[in-house]
Structures are given as structure tokens and as C-alpha cells.
Amino acid sequence: MTGEDIRSRAYDLLTAARERSLALTGCVDEDDLIKQHSALMSPLVWDLAHVGSQEELWLLRAVGGQEPMRPEIDSLYDAFEHPRAERPRLPLLSPEEARRYIATVRQRVVGLLERSPVEGSPLVENGFAFGMIVQHEQQHDETMLATHQLRDGTPVLSAPPPEASSGRWPTEVLVPAGPFTMGTSAEPWALDNERPAHQVDLPGYWIDTVPVANADYLAFIEAGGYDRPELWSARGWAHRQEAGLTAPRFWWRADGVWLRRRFGHVEPVPRDEPVLHVCWYEAEAYASWAGRRLPTEAEWEKAARHDPATGRSRRYPWGDEEPGVEHANLGQRHLQAAPVGAYPAGASAYGVRQLIGDVWEWTSSDFRGYPGFAAFPYREYSEVFFGDEYKVLRGGSFATDPVACRGTFRNWDYPIRRQIFSGFRTARDAAPGEGA
Ligand code: AVJ
Ligand code: FE
């Protein structure tokens, strides 16, 4: 891409992210923006000003060398200084002030983008800083959508349903033993935790062709899955007890029918949709009940990216092209996952479907740096989260924008979290010699 192409792509993507941020905050009244809908989330008005604050910090100050616009508000929007639960009590900008602040930042960023170099230092190479800020805003747009899901009151969001499932598919596919390339050193806007590309040699395994559906998950519930400690890890069972888990979040049973609340609408749980709003411990217990296990993060990525015909890893399951509407349910075009078996055009070389989009998929892996990891451009993006506290999720959800999702993209969260758009698929070891 030429410098001009990079600049115009960055401009378009910044504009699209801002339209989404404004739409997600423009559809509710002031009071709704200021109040906290759940202790797990920030008030929407915090997210709104925070995206502008990060944009000012990384683009105007770090890239552009400009002076702080409003140094007195920096600390309010520093995610490390104030945990989410505290944010509603901070002297935050009002919705109107927040909108004005982020618009001013953006105006200056557009000016900077026109004259900014897009090579010469790692921060600006291929427009990296602009890409990072685009992804950051879209990540917060997904977080804001999760806040909408937690909000009480009349529905304010709507979207057409996603595509139906299509054709037939085997329950699981075999990924034979062998090495593949995990992570990337080439993707220009990949974040630090996706780097560098490295070889990983895996034993053979079987992986589900599609995510676990609500019907499958209901069978686990009906088999007493939530009342059988032997299916749960010790920590998982302790959490199940303490939190009183009996079903995915936003589900309940009335007169023998399972219902769910989705962005304010109450509806029967659709049997063929991927299960959503489950925590890692629930995914682990389900897999154990099914006689299976969660895939490791490497297994997920090999099933998604490895092309056995060429020996190389693709950018996305379907190839190197950017996601189209035929490939995946991404970008908040729909406000729910598509039925399992949708998007056959998005299948990987092994025929695995819906790896990208629909629901984030829990993996069994802890969030750690790859061999050769180097924090960039700041330790707080990823490195401070490495260790055994966070589990990795892969593939993005219907709420994830294509720009913030790819075959190498890594998300992470605590194993108890389920307000995120999380589901899973399962795997099992291949028998010795099977496809070896
Ligand atoms: C990658 C989704 C875990 O939301 O905590 C947003 C992304 N980092 N602002 C998060 C992020 C800084 C991050 N996740
Ligand atoms: Fe952030």
C-alpha cells in the first residue's frame, strides 16, 4: 500500500469507528449514559471519552508531538488508575463535554493524518498507531454493546437476523499431527501479543466443525450438569456454587420454556444458535460432560489458519482476503450469532466453520506472550495481563468489528466472566496413529 492508501484507509476506519461509538451512545438518554448498568462495566460516557483520551495520547501526543489538550482529565480515563466499579463516582465529562472533546481530538487527528509519515519508526510504520487507535475504539464499541445487553429498560437497538445455516457438516474434523505457524510478524496492524510468528508442533486432534449450540448446552443442563461437581474443576465448582450459576447469563425458564433477554427483547432460546454468555468454567464443565475438552489456543489457531496444501498460515480461515459478509458475522451488522453451520464460505482449510465472528470462543490456554514477545507500544496493552489469571478467547463475535479481528487476534478475560459475547467449541485428542 502507498502512503496515500494507508492514510485513506485509516481515515475511513476512524470515521466508521466513530459513527458506531456515536450510534451506541446516541440512542439512550443522558441519564442512561452516566449511570452504571453493571459493576462489571463503565458508564457509557466513560468509554466515549476514554476512546478520545487514548486517541489524543497516542496520535496527537506520541505521533504528533502535541501538548496535552486537557491534562486535568488524563487520569480519569486511565483504565489502570480507576477500576470499572469506581468510574461512576469520578468527576467525568458530561455527555455533551465528552462528545465535544472527542470531536476536537478527531479534528486534529485528521489534520495530523494528512501530514504524518507512515514509515520511519515502528509507531508510524504502515500507519500502525492509527490502526491501533481504530482497533481500540472498536474494542470499546464491543464493550459498549455488552453494556447495552446489561441495560434494563425498553429496547433501543435492532438489526436484521443473520444468515441461516447451510448444507451439512461433519460433527468434528481431524487436524493431523504436525507443525504450523502461529502468530504473525507480517500483519501490519497486529498487536504486540500476536507477534512474532513462530512454529508450533501439535499432536493430532479432533475439533468441532461448529460452535456448541444452545440445544447441545440445554442437554447438558437437562442432564443435571450444573449439579454434578464431578464435571467441574475445583475452582469451577466453587465459582458455580458461590455465583449460583444454573444456566447461561440472561437465560431463565418459565412454564417449562427456556427464555433469554437479548438487548431488551425477551425471546425463546433458539436451539440452533451458538451458546452465548457462558464463562470459562461452564465451557469446561460442558466439555467434560461431553467427554471432550476445550481446544488449546494453538489448536484453535491451527484449525483456523493452517493450510495443509501449502504449509502456510492464512490471515483468516477462508484465505487472505478481508472479511466479507459471506465469510463471517462481524461488525454489529446483526445483534446475535448466526445458527451453527452458517457461513460455509468462511470455513477454514480443514472445513471448520464460524471460527471468525458469531461468538468469542474460550480456549483452555492462559494468556501468555509468545516466544520472542516484545511489549509494544505500551506494557499495559498486553504484558501486564500475562500469567495464569486470564484465559484466551479467539475469533471475535457478531459485536467485533472486522478491523479488530483476524486469525491471529487474541482476546482474554477472567474465567468467571460471561457478560462478554463468549461461547466455545470442543476438541479431543486423536488416537495414536489416527491421521499421523
Ligand atoms: C483485549 C478486549 C481484553 O477491553 O480490556 C481496550 C482491549 N485494551 N482498552 C479490554 C482494550 C485497552 C481489552 N481486551
Ligand atoms: Fe481502552
Side-chain angles (χ1 to χ4, degrees):
M1 282 216 268
T2 67
E4 240 1 86
D5 291 341
I6 293 169
R7 286 188 191 87
S8 81
R9 179 169 142 81
Y11 177 85
D12 291 347
L13 292 168
L14 283 164
T15 306
R18 183 54 47 86
E19 275 171 20
R20 181 163 296 149
S21 305
L22 294 176
L24 288 166
T25 51
C27 56
V28 289
D29 59 28
E30 296 256 310
D31 188 51
D32 240 320
L33 292 175
I34 295 163
K35 89 178 207 205
Q36 189 167 42
H37 298 277
S38 154
L40 295 174
M41 310 305 276
S42 315
L44 290 165
V45 74
W46 186 91
D47 288 283
L48 191 64
H50 167 81
V51 302
S53 167
Q54 289 292 108
E55 184 168 330
E56 187 199 339
L57 190 66
W58 287 104
L59 299 182
L60 298 183
R61 299 192 213 172
V63 173
Q66 299 180 21
E67 289 303 309
M69 282 167 54
R70 302 188 57 165
E72 78 287 0
I73 66 170
D74 280 358
S75 91
L76 297 175
Y77 299 105
D78 180 330
F80 288 86
E81 263 181 69
H82 305 286
R84 285 179 177 178
E86 265 178 32
R87 294 176 190 167
R89 288 184 299 281
L90 298 172
L92 300 177
L93 298 184
S94 70
E96 200 193 312
E97 287 170 321
R99 288 191 187 102
R100 203 165 342 114
Y101 166 65
I102 70 172
T104 309
V105 171
R106 178 56 59 85
Q107 222 177 347
R108 295 189 188 184
V109 162
V110 169
L112 175 70
L113 179 59
E114 281 167 20
R115 51 180 200 278
S116 169
V118 290
E119 59 187 0
S121 82
L123 193 58
V124 298
E125 194 70 33
N126 293 307
F128 176 82
F130 294 92
M132 177 181 81
I133 287 302
V134 163
Q135 292 178 72
H136 180 257
E137 183 157 353
Q138 288 288 3
Q139 288 173 331
H140 278 274
D141 289 345
E142 177 159 358
T143 300
M144 289 196 271
L145 194 69
T147 304
H148 271 276
Q149 171 60 16
L150 287 158
R151 170 185 170 271
D152 290 317
T154 50
V156 294
L157 299 173
S158 63
E163 88 170 42
S165 61
S166 123
R168 298 174 62 80
W169 55 91
T171 312
E172 56 179 347
V173 302
L174 175 67
V175 179
F180 85 108
T181 304
M182 185 171 186
T184 179
S185 302
E187 190 69 45
W189 288 0
L191 301 165
D192 60 358
N193 63 56
E194 299 166 67
R195 302 169 185 273
H198 59 288
Q199 291 287 108
V200 176
D201 198 357
L202 294 177
Y205 61 98
W206 293 85
I207 189 164
D208 291 341
T209 311
V210 298
V212 169
N214 288 330
D216 307 321
Y217 199 83
L218 280 165
F220 162 74
I221 297 178
E222 277 149 21
Y226 279 92
D227 298 312
R228 292 167 56 183
E230 75 277 13
L231 298 176
W232 299 67
S233 58
R235 282 182 181 201
W237 184 251
H239 177 65
R240 178 259 168 262
Q241 294 292 80
E242 192 190 315
L245 304 183
T246 55
R249 183 137 195 195
F250 309 114
W251 285 26
W252 70 96
R253 209 169 127 101
D255 300 325
V257 180
W258 282 98
L259 300 173
R260 70 171 180 187
R261 186 166 55 80
R262 183 175 64 83
F263 301 109
H265 298 277
V266 175
E267 58 193 25
V269 167
R271 296 182 57 81
D272 58 356
E273 238 177 61
V275 68
L276 183 61
H277 297 303
V278 286
C279 70
W280 188 87
Y281 293 126
E282 290 168 297
E284 188 191 32
Y286 171 93
S288 152
W289 169 76
R292 302 174 65 84
R293 59 175 174 78
L294 293 177
T296 64
E297 181 181 15
E299 287 171 338
W300 187 97
E301 189 169 323
K302 187 179 180 186
R305 298 184 62 215
H306 185 63
D307 179 354
T310 61
R312 58 175 286 281
S313 284
R314 300 171 170 181
R315 296 176 66 210
Y316 299 96
W318 53 86
D320 292 343
E321 315 132 69
E322 301 284 315
V325 295
E326 71 282 22
H327 294 130
N329 178 10
L330 288 167
Q332 306 187 12
R333 298 197 308 274
H334 310 294
L335 293 172
Q336 68 197 97
V340 299
Y343 305 100
S348 74
Y350 291 106
V352 183
R353 297 190 187 190
Q354 289 169 298
L355 286 152
I356 297 289
D358 292 306
V359 295
W360 284 103
E361 298 180 21
W362 287 112
T363 71
S364 62
S365 302
D366 294 339
F367 186 47
R368 294 186 192 281
Y370 291 154
F373 169 84
F376 181 78
Y378 64 117
R379 283 191 67 238
E380 289 75 16
Y381 183 74
S382 318
E383 193 178 16
V384 299
F385 300 100
F386 290 163
D388 53 17
E389 269 193 283
Y390 293 90
K391 298 294 180 189
V392 173
L393 300 112
R394 287 301 202 98
S397 74
F398 63 85
T400 311
D401 191 80
V403 78
C405 187
R406 52 198 156 259
T408 54
F409 192 91
R410 309 174 74 194
N411 191 3
W412 63 93
D413 216 326
Y414 291 118
I416 63 170
R417 289 291 188 249
R418 52 189 208 156
Q419 88 285 2
I420 53 176
F421 301 106
S422 51
F424 64 99
R425 72 180 73 218
T426 70
R428 66 181 171 101
D429 297 350
E434 219 172 16

Coordinates of all heavy atoms in Angstrom, one line a residue, residues 336-397:
Q336 N -27.0 -10.7 17.0 CA -27.0 -12.1 17.6 C -26.1 -13.0 16.7 O -25.8 -12.6 15.5 CB -28.4 -12.7 17.6 CG -29.0 -12.9 16.2 CD -30.5 -13.1 16.3 OE1 -31.3 -12.2 16.0 NE2 -30.9 -14.3 16.6
A337 N -25.7 -14.1 17.2 CA -24.9 -15.1 16.4 C -25.8 -15.7 15.4 O -27.0 -15.9 15.6 CB -24.3 -16.1 17.4
A338 N -25.2 -16.2 14.3 CA -25.9 -16.9 13.3 C -26.0 -18.4 13.7 O -25.2 -18.9 14.5 CB -25.2 -16.9 11.9
P339 N -27.1 -19.1 13.3 CA -27.2 -20.6 13.6 C -25.9 -21.3 13.3 O -25.2 -20.9 12.3 CB -28.3 -21.1 12.7 CG -29.0 -19.9 12.3 CD -28.1 -18.7 12.3
V340 N -25.6 -22.4 14.1 CA -24.4 -23.1 13.8 C -24.5 -23.7 12.4 O -25.6 -24.1 11.9 CB -24.1 -24.2 14.8 CG1 -23.9 -23.6 16.2 CG2 -25.2 -25.3 14.8
G341 N -23.4 -23.7 11.6 CA -23.4 -24.2 10.3 C -23.6 -23.1 9.2 O -23.6 -23.4 8.0
A342 N -23.7 -21.8 9.7 CA -23.8 -20.7 8.7 C -22.4 -20.4 8.2 O -21.4 -20.9 8.6 CB -24.4 -19.5 9.4
Y343 N -22.4 -19.6 7.1 CA -21.1 -19.1 6.5 C -20.2 -20.2 6.0 O -19.0 -20.2 6.4 CB -20.4 -18.1 7.5 CG -21.3 -17.0 7.9 CD1 -21.9 -17.0 9.2 CD2 -21.5 -15.9 7.1 CE1 -22.7 -16.0 9.6 CE2 -22.4 -14.9 7.5 CZ -23.0 -15.0 8.7 OH -23.8 -14.0 9.1
P344 N -20.7 -21.1 5.2 CA -19.7 -22.1 4.7 C -18.6 -21.5 3.9 O -17.5 -22.1 3.9 CB -20.6 -23.0 3.8 CG -21.9 -22.2 3.6 CD -22.0 -21.3 4.7
A345 N -18.8 -20.3 3.3 CA -17.7 -19.7 2.6 C -16.6 -19.2 3.5 O -15.5 -18.8 3.0 CB -18.3 -18.5 1.8
G346 N -16.9 -19.2 4.8 CA -15.9 -18.7 5.7 C -15.1 -19.9 6.4 O -14.3 -19.7 7.3
A347 N -15.4 -21.1 5.9 CA -14.7 -22.3 6.5 C -13.2 -22.3 6.3 O -12.7 -21.7 5.3 CB -15.3 -23.6 6.0
S348 N -12.5 -22.9 7.2 CA -11.0 -23.0 7.1 C -10.6 -24.1 6.2 O -11.5 -24.9 5.7 CB -10.5 -23.3 8.5 OG -10.7 -24.6 8.9
A349 N -9.4 -24.3 5.9 CA -8.9 -25.3 5.0 C -9.3 -26.7 5.5 O -9.6 -27.6 4.7 CB -7.3 -25.3 4.9
Y350 N -9.5 -26.9 6.8 CA -10.0 -28.1 7.3 C -11.5 -28.3 7.3 O -12.0 -29.3 7.8 CB -9.5 -28.3 8.8 CG -8.0 -28.5 8.9 CD1 -7.1 -27.5 9.3 CD2 -7.4 -29.7 8.5 CE1 -5.7 -27.7 9.4 CE2 -6.0 -29.9 8.6 CZ -5.2 -28.9 9.1 OH -3.8 -29.1 9.1
G351 N -12.2 -27.2 6.9 CA -13.6 -27.3 6.9 C -14.3 -26.8 8.2 O -15.5 -27.1 8.4
V352 N -13.5 -26.2 9.1 CA -14.1 -25.7 10.3 C -14.8 -24.4 10.1 O -14.3 -23.5 9.4 CB -13.0 -25.6 11.4 CG1 -13.7 -25.2 12.7 CG2 -12.3 -26.9 11.6
R353 N -16.1 -24.3 10.6 CA -16.9 -23.1 10.3 C -17.0 -22.1 11.5 O -16.9 -22.6 12.6 CB -18.3 -23.5 9.9 CG -18.4 -24.4 8.7 CD -19.8 -24.6 8.2 NE -19.9 -25.5 7.1 CZ -21.0 -25.8 6.4 NH1 -22.1 -25.1 6.7 NH2 -20.9 -26.6 5.4
Q354 N -17.3 -20.9 11.2 CA -17.6 -19.9 12.2 C -16.5 -19.7 13.2 O -16.8 -19.3 14.4 CB -18.9 -20.2 12.9 CG -20.1 -20.1 11.9 CD -21.4 -20.6 12.5 OE1 -21.5 -21.8 12.7 NE2 -22.4 -19.8 12.7
L355 N -15.3 -19.9 12.8 CA -14.2 -19.6 13.7 C -14.0 -18.1 13.9 O -13.7 -17.6 15.0 CB -12.9 -20.1 13.1 CG -12.8 -21.7 13.2 CD1 -11.9 -22.2 12.1 CD2 -12.2 -22.1 14.6
I356 N -14.3 -17.3 12.9 CA -14.3 -15.8 13.0 C -15.8 -15.4 13.1 O -16.6 -15.9 12.3 CB -13.6 -15.2 11.8 CG1 -12.1 -15.6 11.7 CG2 -13.8 -13.7 11.7 CD1 -11.2 -15.0 12.7
G357 N -16.0 -14.5 14.0 CA -17.4 -13.9 14.1 C -18.3 -14.8 15.0 O -17.9 -15.8 15.6
D358 N -19.5 -14.4 15.1 CA -20.6 -15.1 15.9 C -20.3 -15.0 17.4 O -21.0 -14.2 18.1 CB -20.8 -16.5 15.4 CG -21.5 -16.5 14.0 OD1 -22.5 -15.9 13.9 OD2 -20.9 -17.1 13.1
V359 N -19.5 -15.9 17.9 CA -19.2 -15.8 19.4 C -17.7 -16.0 19.6 O -17.0 -16.7 18.9 CB -19.9 -16.9 20.2 CG1 -21.4 -16.7 20.1 CG2 -19.5 -18.3 19.7
W360 N -17.2 -15.2 20.5 CA -15.8 -15.4 21.0 C -15.7 -16.8 21.6 O -16.7 -17.3 22.2 CB -15.4 -14.5 22.1 CG -15.1 -13.1 21.7 CD1 -16.0 -12.0 21.8 CD2 -13.9 -12.6 21.1 NE1 -15.4 -10.9 21.2 CE2 -14.1 -11.2 20.8 CE3 -12.7 -13.2 20.7 CZ2 -13.1 -10.4 20.2 CZ3 -11.7 -12.4 20.1 CH2 -11.9 -11.1 19.9
E361 N -14.6 -17.5 21.3 CA -14.5 -18.9 21.8 C -13.4 -19.1 22.8 O -12.3 -18.7 22.6 CB -14.2 -19.8 20.5 CG -15.3 -19.7 19.5 CD -15.0 -20.6 18.3 OE1 -14.2 -21.5 18.3 OE2 -15.6 -20.3 17.2
W362 N -13.9 -19.5 24.0 CA -12.9 -19.8 25.1 C -12.0 -20.9 24.6 O -12.4 -21.9 24.0 CB -13.7 -20.3 26.3 CG -14.5 -19.3 27.1 CD1 -15.8 -19.3 27.2 CD2 -13.9 -18.2 27.9 NE1 -16.2 -18.2 28.0 CE2 -15.0 -17.6 28.5 CE3 -12.6 -17.8 28.2 CZ2 -14.9 -16.5 29.3 CZ3 -12.5 -16.7 29.0 CH2 -13.6 -16.0 29.6
T363 N -10.7 -20.8 24.9 CA -9.7 -21.8 24.7 C -9.3 -22.2 26.1 O -9.5 -21.5 27.1 CB -8.5 -21.4 23.9 OG1 -7.7 -20.5 24.7 CG2 -9.0 -20.7 22.6
S364 N -8.6 -23.4 26.2 CA -8.1 -23.9 27.5 C -6.9 -23.1 28.0 O -6.4 -23.2 29.1 CB -7.7 -25.3 27.4 OG -6.7 -25.6 26.5
S365 N -6.3 -22.2 27.1 CA -5.0 -21.6 27.4 C -5.0 -20.4 28.2 O -5.9 -19.5 28.1 CB -4.3 -21.3 26.1 OG -4.2 -22.4 25.3
D366 N -4.0 -20.2 29.1 CA -3.7 -19.0 29.8 C -3.2 -18.0 28.8 O -2.5 -18.3 27.8 CB -2.7 -19.2 30.9 CG -3.2 -20.1 32.0 OD1 -4.5 -20.3 32.1 OD2 -2.4 -20.7 32.7
F367 N -3.3 -16.7 29.2 CA -2.8 -15.6 28.3 C -1.4 -15.4 28.6 O -1.0 -15.0 29.7 CB -3.6 -14.4 28.5 CG -3.3 -13.2 27.6 CD1 -3.2 -13.4 26.2 CD2 -3.1 -11.9 28.1 CE1 -2.9 -12.4 25.3 CE2 -2.8 -10.9 27.2 CZ -2.7 -11.1 25.9
R368 N -0.5 -15.7 27.6 CA 1.0 -15.5 27.8 C 1.6 -15.0 26.5 O 1.0 -15.1 25.5 CB 1.6 -16.9 28.1 CG 1.2 -17.5 29.4 CD 2.0 -18.8 29.7 NE 1.4 -19.5 30.8 CZ 1.6 -19.1 32.1 NH1 2.4 -18.1 32.4 NH2 1.0 -19.8 33.0
G369 N 2.8 -14.4 26.7 CA 3.5 -13.9 25.5 C 4.1 -15.0 24.7 O 4.4 -16.1 25.2
Y370 N 4.1 -14.9 23.4 CA 4.7 -15.9 22.5 C 6.3 -15.8 22.7 O 6.8 -14.7 23.1 CB 4.4 -15.6 21.0 CG 2.9 -15.8 20.7 CD1 2.4 -15.1 19.6 CD2 2.1 -16.8 21.4 CE1 1.0 -15.4 19.2 CE2 0.8 -17.0 21.0 CZ 0.3 -16.3 19.9 OH -1.0 -16.5 19.5
P371 N 7.0 -16.9 22.3 CA 8.4 -16.8 22.4 C 8.9 -15.6 21.5 O 8.5 -15.4 20.4 CB 8.9 -18.1 21.7 CG 7.7 -19.0 21.7 CD 6.5 -18.1 21.8
G372 N 9.7 -14.7 22.1 CA 10.2 -13.6 21.4 C 9.3 -12.3 21.6 O 9.5 -11.3 20.9
F373 N 8.3 -12.4 22.4 CA 7.4 -11.3 22.7 C 8.1 -10.0 23.1 O 9.0 -10.1 23.9 CB 6.3 -11.7 23.8 CG 5.5 -10.5 24.2 CD1 4.4 -10.1 23.5 CD2 5.9 -9.7 25.3 CE1 3.7 -9.0 23.9 CE2 5.2 -8.6 25.7 CZ 4.0 -8.3 25.0
A374 N 7.7 -8.9 22.5 CA 8.2 -7.6 23.0 C 7.0 -6.7 23.1 O 6.2 -6.5 22.2 CB 9.2 -7.1 21.9
A375 N 6.9 -6.1 24.3 CA 5.7 -5.2 24.5 C 5.8 -4.0 23.6 O 6.9 -3.4 23.4 CB 5.8 -4.7 26.0
F376 N 4.7 -3.7 22.9 CA 4.7 -2.5 22.0 C 3.3 -2.0 21.8 O 2.4 -2.8 21.5 CB 5.4 -2.9 20.7 CG 5.4 -1.7 19.7 CD1 6.4 -0.8 19.9 CD2 4.4 -1.6 18.7 CE1 6.4 0.3 19.0 CE2 4.5 -0.5 17.9 CZ 5.4 0.5 18.0
P377 N 3.0 -0.7 21.8 CA 3.9 0.3 22.3 C 3.9 0.6 23.8 O 4.6 1.4 24.2 CB 3.4 1.5 21.5 CG 1.9 1.3 21.4 CD 1.7 -0.2 21.3
Y378 N 3.1 -0.2 24.5 CA 3.0 0.0 25.9 C 2.7 -1.3 26.7 O 2.0 -2.1 26.2 CB 2.0 1.1 26.3 CG 0.5 0.9 26.0 CD1 -0.4 0.8 27.1 CD2 0.1 0.8 24.7 CE1 -1.7 0.7 26.8 CE2 -1.3 0.6 24.4 CZ -2.2 0.5 25.5 OH -3.5 0.4 25.2
R379 N 3.3 -1.5 27.8 CA 3.2 -2.7 28.6 C 1.8 -3.0 29.0 O 1.4 -4.2 29.1 CB 4.1 -2.7 29.9 CG 5.5 -2.9 29.6 CD 6.2 -3.1 31.0 NE 5.8 -4.4 31.6 CZ 5.3 -4.5 32.8 NH1 5.0 -3.5 33.5 NH2 4.9 -5.7 33.2
E380 N 1.0 -2.0 29.2 CA -0.4 -2.1 29.7 C -1.3 -2.7 28.6 O -2.5 -3.0 28.9 CB -0.9 -0.9 30.3 CG -0.3 -0.5 31.6 CD 1.1 0.1 31.4 OE1 1.5 0.5 30.3 OE2 1.9 0.1 32.4
Y381 N -0.9 -2.7 27.3 CA -1.9 -3.3 26.4 C -2.0 -4.8 26.7 O -3.1 -5.3 26.8 CB -1.5 -3.0 24.9 CG -2.7 -3.7 24.1 CD1 -3.9 -3.0 24.0 CD2 -2.6 -4.9 23.5 CE1 -5.0 -3.6 23.4 CE2 -3.7 -5.5 22.9 CZ -4.9 -4.9 22.9 OH -6.0 -5.5 22.3
S382 N -0.9 -5.5 26.8 CA -1.0 -7.0 26.9 C -0.2 -7.5 28.1 O -0.6 -8.4 28.9 CB -0.5 -7.7 25.7 OG -0.8 -7.2 24.5
E383 N 1.1 -7.0 28.2 CA 2.1 -7.7 29.0 C 1.7 -7.8 30.5 O 1.9 -8.9 31.1 CB 3.4 -7.1 28.9 CG 4.5 -7.9 29.5 CD 5.9 -7.3 29.4 OE1 6.0 -6.1 29.1 OE2 6.9 -8.0 29.5
V384 N 1.0 -6.8 31.0 CA 0.7 -6.8 32.4 C -0.4 -7.8 32.7 O -0.7 -8.2 33.9 CB 0.2 -5.4 32.9 CG1 1.3 -4.4 32.8 CG2 -1.0 -4.9 32.2
F385 N -1.1 -8.4 31.7 CA -2.1 -9.4 31.9 C -1.6 -10.8 31.7 O -2.3 -11.8 31.9 CB -3.3 -9.2 30.9 CG -3.9 -7.8 31.0 CD1 -3.6 -6.8 30.1 CD2 -4.8 -7.6 32.0 CE1 -4.2 -5.5 30.3 CE2 -5.4 -6.3 32.1 CZ -5.1 -5.3 31.3
F386 N -0.3 -11.0 31.3 CA 0.2 -12.3 31.1 C 0.3 -13.1 32.5 O 0.6 -12.5 33.5 CB 1.6 -12.3 30.5 CG 1.7 -11.8 29.1 CD1 2.9 -11.4 28.5 CD2 0.5 -11.9 28.2 CE1 2.9 -11.0 27.2 CE2 0.6 -11.4 26.9 CZ 1.8 -11.0 26.4
G387 N 0.0 -14.4 32.4 CA 0.1 -15.2 33.7 C -1.0 -16.2 33.6 O -1.5 -16.5 32.6
D388 N -1.4 -16.6 34.8 CA -2.4 -17.7 34.8 C -3.8 -17.2 35.2 O -4.7 -18.0 35.5 CB -2.0 -18.9 35.6 CG -1.5 -18.5 37.0 OD1 -1.9 -17.4 37.4 OD2 -0.8 -19.3 37.6
E389 N -4.0 -15.9 35.3 CA -5.3 -15.3 35.8 C -6.3 -15.2 34.6 O -7.5 -15.2 34.9 CB -5.1 -13.9 36.3 CG -4.8 -13.9 37.8 CD -4.9 -12.4 38.2 OE1 -4.0 -11.6 38.0 OE2 -6.0 -12.1 38.8
Y390 N -5.8 -15.1 33.4 CA -6.7 -14.8 32.3 C -6.7 -16.0 31.3 O -5.6 -16.6 31.1 CB -6.3 -13.5 31.5 CG -6.4 -12.3 32.3 CD1 -5.4 -11.8 33.2 CD2 -7.6 -11.6 32.3 CE1 -5.6 -10.7 33.9 CE2 -7.8 -10.4 33.1 CZ -6.8 -10.0 33.9 OH -6.9 -8.8 34.6
K391 N -7.8 -16.3 30.7 CA -7.9 -17.3 29.7 C -8.1 -16.6 28.3 O -8.7 -15.5 28.2 CB -9.2 -18.2 29.9 CG -9.1 -18.9 31.3 CD -7.9 -19.9 31.2 CE -7.9 -20.7 32.6 NZ -6.6 -21.5 32.6
V392 N -7.6 -17.2 27.3 CA -7.6 -16.7 26.0 C -8.9 -17.0 25.3 O -9.4 -18.2 25.3 CB -6.4 -17.2 25.1 CG1 -6.6 -16.7 23.7 CG2 -5.1 -16.7 25.7
L393 N -9.5 -16.0 24.6 CA -10.7 -16.2 23.7 C -10.2 -15.9 22.3 O -9.4 -15.0 22.1 CB -11.8 -15.3 24.1 CG -12.4 -15.5 25.5 CD1 -12.1 -14.2 26.3 CD2 -13.9 -15.7 25.4
R394 N -10.8 -16.6 21.3 CA -10.4 -16.4 19.9 C -11.6 -16.2 19.0 O -12.7 -16.7 19.3 CB -9.6 -17.6 19.4 CG -8.2 -17.7 20.0 CD -7.4 -16.4 19.7 NE -6.0 -16.7 19.7 CZ -5.2 -16.9 18.6 NH1 -5.8 -17.0 17.4 NH2 -3.9 -17.1 18.8
G395 N -11.3 -15.5 17.9 CA -12.2 -15.5 16.8 C -13.2 -14.3 16.7 O -13.8 -14.2 15.6
G396 N -13.4 -13.6 17.7 CA -14.4 -12.4 17.6 C -15.8 -12.9 17.6 O -16.1 -14.1 17.5
S397 N -16.7 -11.9 17.8 CA -18.1 -12.2 17.9 C -18.9 -11.3 16.9 O -18.3 -10.5 16.2 CB -18.6 -11.9 19.3 OG -18.7 -10.5 19.5

